Amino acid sequence: MKPTTHKLDRTRQAAPQVFEWLREAIIALELAPGTPLARAELAERFELSQTPVRDALIRLSEEGLVDIYPQHATLVSRIDLHSAEQAQFLRCSIELEVVRTLATVGDAALAERLTAMVDMQAALAGTGGETFIAADQAFHRAMYEAAGVPDLYELVRRRSGHLDRLRRLDLPSPGNSERVVRDHRRIVEALARREPEAAQAALRAHLSGTLGRVADIRTRHPEYVAG
């Protein structure tokens, strides 16, 4: 890791900020599986004592994103497929109900707003970068918020670290970002038509993509995926 100092917001608690910074770097694969995370180096980077760094690493361990070996080392974990599958099950279970609820209501203003978000994603398709991923996440978050369950989005996000890393390995493959855009359009069209079953079918197809390509991902990135 580079020793560059990272400035924190001194009006907020330090440990949650260190946790979020490290989590985002791990999810984005800026900190690849196997990367050592030394408390002393992190404390120097953030200009902190080691206590908030330790607390942040413990939280990351609870999410399965780091492996802590007492008196030895802390390493960014490899992607655990079982954890990814469980996150997929949780996300699919919740979002199927989210789109059913939205399709039953048939909010025209929401459909228009989601369409605009998909149009923005289409303009970013092919980049495979963090901007496209942020737009994708914003689309799904908007549906949770419209269904009145924003806290469940945060629950899913916290459980999806391994799945999100798999998606980042998968997204740069040719045609994947365009596929995401097509899937999102099908979901919005079903919502606009007030067709709950069609919306659920479109969502189910959309969410099944990455895990359906695990064998290929593992072949291309054997050092990242456990098992």
Side-chain angles (χ1 to χ4, degrees), residues 50 119 143 225:
Q50 291 191 29
D119 289 342
M143 291 197 296
V225 182

Side-chain angles (χ1 to χ4, degrees), residues 1-2 22 31-39 41-42 57 66-67 72-77:
M1 293 178 57
K2 297 179 181 179
L22 289 172
L31 294 173
T35 300
L37 300 175
R39 272 197 222 168
E41 291 180 9
L42 289 170
L57 292 175
V66 303
D67 296 318
H72 178 58
T74 297
L75 306 176
V76 176
S77 69

Side-chain angles (χ1 to χ4, degrees), residues 66-96:
V66 303
D67 296 318
I68 299 177
Y69 302 96
Q71 310 304 320
H72 178 58
T74 297
L75 306 176
V76 176
S77 69
R78 296 176 74 190
I79 297 170
D80 182 79
L81 292 180
H82 183 59
S83 294
E85 289 166 354
Q86 290 191 83
Q88 175 80 348
F89 187 92
L90 175 65
R91 181 178 179 183
C92 192
S93 299
I94 294 174
E95 289 194 28
L96 285 172

